[in-house]
Amino acid sequence: RACRLRLQRNKYVIKMSKTDTKETKTGINDYSQNGPVAKKIASVVPYFPFKGIDKFYDIGGFLKHPEIFQLVIDVFVARYKAIGVDSIAGFDARGFVIGPPIALALKKPFIMLRKKGKMPNAISGTEYGKEYAGKDVLTIPRGSVKKGDRVLLIDDLVATGGTLSAGIELVKLLGGVVVECACIVELKFLNARKKLDGLGYKDVPVWALMDESILTLDGLKAKDIDTQGYKDDGEAH
């Protein structure tokens, strides 16, 4: 697939050739933010009142649809094949769902960023504030990143940016370069970008396939989602 890549204000922009505007066997080839492919994926991602949050977005919605799950993977593979990375690091735990198939498709190593006490021979970062409540510490396998390695950080969703900042810190601690923080959904109203800038990470781009403006599937009202007896039994996140 022919494409051009340029850096614009710390954001990577993929310019596809004219031949790439046609539809392919997987459907629409437009991987733009909130574009046709993003909307197709968003159509099966419900939200629920969960963990005290009015709209908790559930990626389990697209995991039930293999063809949509494949679209998600295709988006990231296309983007980062063009940009170029040495390894992919996924956040505990949903980053472990989408990160490995992307790493396999790109033939790159996958690195687990796990909570402290869950992984041997690991280096711990400093304590960080979790997305909505509480504190935690993230760890990275010792020796998993070499000086100068171009590392992609990946998760399902970015909210306040607390978890992303912990991952950036660990990669930089080992001498790596965070090429980009990538996620399926970015909650724009929480302004993770401002938090990362305040922590001195202005050099790290954040890219999401979609934001909350196109996620309109109310899980409790959708006729094809079984919610009989539903209650918010989630622990603070």
Side-chain angles (χ1 to χ4, degrees), residues 73 77 88 98-110:
I73 302 306
V77 169
I88 296 171
I98 58 177
I102 296 167
L104 285 172
L106 293 175
K107 294 181 171 55
K108 300 296 180 181
F110 180 74

Side-chain angles (χ1 to χ4, degrees), residues 197-216:
D197 289 353
L199 291 171
Y201 299 140
K202 292 183 179 180
D203 60 319
V204 180
V206 176
W207 185 85
L209 178 60
M210 66 186 76
D211 61 39
E212 68 272 22
S213 67
I214 66 169
L215 289 164
T216 59

Side-chain angles (χ1 to χ4, degrees), residues 91 113 138 153 161 163-173 176 178 181 193 196 201 203-206:
F91 290 93
L113 299 177
L138 208 59
L153 294 181
T163 305
L164 289 186
S165 66
I168 295 170
E169 178 199 31
L170 285 171
V171 171
K172 286 179 174 285
L173 182 65
V178 180
C181 294
R193 179 74 268 168
L196 295 180
Y201 299 140
D203 60 319
V204 180
V206 176

Side-chain angles (χ1 to χ4, degrees), residues 128-154:
Y128 68 96
K130 294 194 290 184
E131 297 300 300
Y132 300 104
K135 302 285 186 178
D136 221 324
V137 174
L138 208 59
T139 68
I140 190 170
R142 194 180 308 274
S144 58
V145 175
K146 306 298 182 186
K147 186 175 181 179
D149 278 359
R150 291 167 53 80
V151 182
L152 169 66
L153 294 181
I154 195 159

Side-chain angles (χ1 to χ4, degrees), residues 49-175:
F50 191 57
K51 300 186 179 184
I53 302 164
D54 291 338
K55 292 184 178 181
F56 188 97
Y57 299 100
D58 179 21
I59 68 164
F62 72 70
L63 295 178
K64 295 188 295 184
H65 303 275
E67 72 283 0
I68 302 296
F69 190 6
Q70 185 65 61
L71 270 180
V72 173
I73 302 306
D74 289 346
V75 168
F76 290 99
V77 169
R79 181 172 179 81
Y80 297 105
K81 184 175 183 180
I83 290 173
V85 300
D86 293 312
S87 58
I88 296 171
F91 290 93
D92 192 348
R94 287 181 289 275
F96 299 169
V97 176
I98 58 177
I102 296 167
L104 285 172
L106 293 175
K107 294 181 171 55
K108 300 296 180 181
F110 180 74
I111 302 166
M112 293 190 296
L113 299 177
R114 298 211 67 185
K115 304 294 176 59
K116 188 175 181 179
K118 300 292 185 180
M119 182 167 57
N121 195 29
I123 295 173
S124 298
T126 57
E127 187 178 69
Y128 68 96
K130 294 194 290 184
E131 297 300 300
Y132 300 104
K135 302 285 186 178
D136 221 324
V137 174
L138 208 59
T139 68
I140 190 170
R142 194 180 308 274
S144 58
V145 175
K146 306 298 182 186
K147 186 175 181 179
D149 278 359
R150 291 167 53 80
V151 182
L152 169 66
L153 294 181
I154 195 159
D155 207 354
D156 67 320
L157 180 146
V158 56
T160 63
T163 305
L164 289 186
S165 66
I168 295 170
E169 178 199 31
L170 285 171
V171 171
K172 286 179 174 285
L173 182 65
L174 296 184

